[in-house]
């Protein structure tokens, strides 16, 4: 299957530049696989489409202020680093730009000297391994000197940087938000629990894969970048109990979906586990755990729209996207969402 099979045209004005306020006021397109019907609704009504005994699985990763702007020691040249994966304490895999200024051995200063970094290695593909030196707590320093790594298509900085995190984010380590979860409020989650909907959490730290375009002409040749995930015992038990009772496992976002499907792929069952996954879900790859999917609208030719197409069907997914454009839905990270049942 060709990468170009997942292309669609999107008018620039459809790209959401700011999040909905309040969070749960975003629009939601509901797609039913059993009869191919489409319903247009508001996200706060998601409970109308769920049943007691279903469960929602959410990714509790927290986006770090992982974009660092600094200067090169000796020349004062400007440089930008984006933290992707922590290798060990103080050592990170980073995107660096411009790369020619970030050769091994080069040193940099951030935040007026609060944080220093040295490039230790240039990796295949262009990423850098950087060792940071600092006094105190690294994550506290990031809050002072770093910026939220908003996607390139968002040209307006939100007034509240916290809107690029979910209300349940708690495990720091992501370079991008699991955006399907941005629509939830604490009150909505509590209401769903009261409705008999189980709420479970996994962690998948979103890294380089979110930023890498699919360059291969044939999608089967694309290589995903590995990301770290954790499926705790409590969530594994919730999923197993839900399945046993005939309930549906509703994955909130592609990252939650990939976590569960990675666990099934590795262990053949939903068990408490953690590790690294480079699972790539595209049409033809079966889903072994997810029964329903909540997801935002994704970029053309991305691995994310390929995952949605694998779950819902490529032609139906692209048709739904055409409907979303026609109906004025807002796209991408701060945009609206679709619930596929």
């Amino acid at each position: 299957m060709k990468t170009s099979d997942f292309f669609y045209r999107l008018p620039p004005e459809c790209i959401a530049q700011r999040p909905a306020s309040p969070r749960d006021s975003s629009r939601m397109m509901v797609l039913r696989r059993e009869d191919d019907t489409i319903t247009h609704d508001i996200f706060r009504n998601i409970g109308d489409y769920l049943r007691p005994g279903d469960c929602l699985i959410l990714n509790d990763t927290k986006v770090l202020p992982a974009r660092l702007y600094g200067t090169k020691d000796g020349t004062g040249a400007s440089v930008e680093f984006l933290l992707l994966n922590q290798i060990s304490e103080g050592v990170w895999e980073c995107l660096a730009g411009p790369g020619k200024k970030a050769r091994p051995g080069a040193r940099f200063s951030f935040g007026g000297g609060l944080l220093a970094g040295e490039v230790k290695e240039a990796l295949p593909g262009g990423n850098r391994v950087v060792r940071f030196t600092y006094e105190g707590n690294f994550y506290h320093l990031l809050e002072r000197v770093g910026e939220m790594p908003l996607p390139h298509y968002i040209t307006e900085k939100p007034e509240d940087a916290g809107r690029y995190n979910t209300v349940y984010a708690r495990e720091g380590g992501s370079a991008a938000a699991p955006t399907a979860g941005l629509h939830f409020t604490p009150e909505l989650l509590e209401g769903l629990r009261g409705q008999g909907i189980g709420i479970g959490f996994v962690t998948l730290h979103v890294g380089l894969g979110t930023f890498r375009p699919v360059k291969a002409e044939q999608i089967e040749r694309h290589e995903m970048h590995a990301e770290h995930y954790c499926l705790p015992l409590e969530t594994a038990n919730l999923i197993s109990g839900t399945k046993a009772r005939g309930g549906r496992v509703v994955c909130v976002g592609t990252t939650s979906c990939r976590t569960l499907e990675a666990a099934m792929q590795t262990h053949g069952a939903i068990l408490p586990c953690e590790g690294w996954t480079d699972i790539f879900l595209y049409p033809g790859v079966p889903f072994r755990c997810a029964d329903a999917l909540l997801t935002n609208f994704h970029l053309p030719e991305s691995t994310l729209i390929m995952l949605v197409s694998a779950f819902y069907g490529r032609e139906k997914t692209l048709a739904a996207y055409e409907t979303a454009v026609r109906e004025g839905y807002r796209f991408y990270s701060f945009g609206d969402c679709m619930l596929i049942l």
Side-chain angles (χ1 to χ4, degrees), residues 223-237:
E223 294 184 5
M224 294 284 285
H225 191 83
E227 296 164 316
H228 191 265
Y229 73 93
C230 176
L231 173 59
L233 175 62
E234 181 179 3
T235 301
N237 289 341

Side-chain angles (χ1 to χ4, degrees), residues 27-322:
R27 298 176 68 192
M28 178 175 66
M29 177 186 290
V30 183
L31 308 169
R32 293 181 178 84
R33 292 182 290 172
E34 61 181 7
D35 58 9
D36 290 335
T37 58
I38 297 179
T39 302
H40 303 289
D41 210 331
I42 302 298
F43 184 77
R44 66 172 62 95
N45 297 328
I46 187 173
D48 294 346
Y49 304 94
L50 304 177
R51 302 189 291 256
D54 290 344
C55 71
L56 293 171
I57 304 301
L58 306 99
N59 183 5
D60 64 3
T61 190
K62 185 176 182 180
V63 184
L64 300 173
R67 179 165 279 127
L68 299 171
Y69 295 98
T71 56
K72 185 175 182 179
D73 292 1
T75 68
S78 298
V79 70
E80 175 186 345
F81 285 92
L82 178 62
L83 307 181
L84 294 174
N85 297 313
Q86 184 176 20
I87 299 172
S88 59
E89 186 174 357
V91 180
W92 287 76
E93 179 182 354
C94 303
L95 284 175
K100 63 182 180 180
K101 296 178 182 177
R103 295 189 174 95
R107 297 173 181 268
F108 302 90
S109 178
F110 309 90
L114 291 174
L115 187 64
E118 180 183 356
V119 178
K120 306 301 292 185
E121 183 182 355
L123 299 174
N127 291 351
R128 302 297 195 265
V129 175
V130 180
R131 179 181 295 278
F132 293 97
T133 54
Y134 49 90
E135 292 185 3
N137 184 287
F138 180 74
Y139 295 99
H140 291 169
L141 284 173
L142 276 186
E143 296 290 340
R144 296 178 61 182
V145 305
E147 293 187 8
M148 278 292 185
L150 295 175
H152 64 87
Y153 49 76
I154 296 178
T155 58
E156 302 178 16
K157 290 185 180 180
E159 295 180 2
D160 177 8
R163 289 302 307 272
Y164 195 54
N165 265 311
T166 63
V167 297
Y168 47 81
R170 57 188 176 188
E171 299 292 338
S174 273
T179 54
L182 295 178
H183 309 284
F184 287 96
T185 66
E187 296 78 14
L188 180 55
L189 287 169
E190 194 58 35
L192 293 171
R193 288 189 178 97
Q195 187 180 322
I197 309 300
I199 306 292
F201 297 94
V202 296
T203 304
L204 184 138
H205 292 315
V206 187
L208 181 63
T210 294
F211 301 93
R212 289 182 67 188
V214 178
K215 295 182 178 179
E217 183 177 351
Q218 301 292 328
I219 64 173
E220 296 86 354
R221 297 180 181 176
H222 177 70
E223 294 184 5
M224 294 284 285
H225 191 83
E227 296 164 316
H228 191 265
Y229 73 93
C230 176
L231 173 59
L233 175 62
E234 181 179 3
T235 301
N237 289 341
L238 171 64
I239 293 170
S240 298
T242 298
K243 292 280 192 181
R245 293 187 296 270
R248 297 173 296 182
V249 175
V250 183
C251 291
V252 176
T254 58
T255 57
S256 295
C257 183
R258 290 177 59 237
T259 299
L260 301 191
E261 296 302 325
M264 288 294 298
Q265 185 183 80
T266 302
H267 303 287
I270 294 297
L271 303 172
C273 56
E274 67 175 304
W276 293 81
T277 181
D278 60 358
I279 190 170
F280 182 18
L281 298 169
Y282 56 87
V285 178
F287 288 76
R288 302 172 63 187
C289 184
D291 299 307
L293 177 66
L294 176 73
T295 183
N296 279 19
F297 296 94
H298 303 294
L299 275 72
E301 300 183 339
S302 65
T303 61
L304 305 179
I305 195 173
M306 292 172 188
L307 184 154
V308 177
S309 297
F311 191 77
Y312 186 54
R314 185 188 70 87
E315 292 183 359
K316 291 195 296 183
T317 297
L318 293 177
Y321 272 51
E322 289 181 4

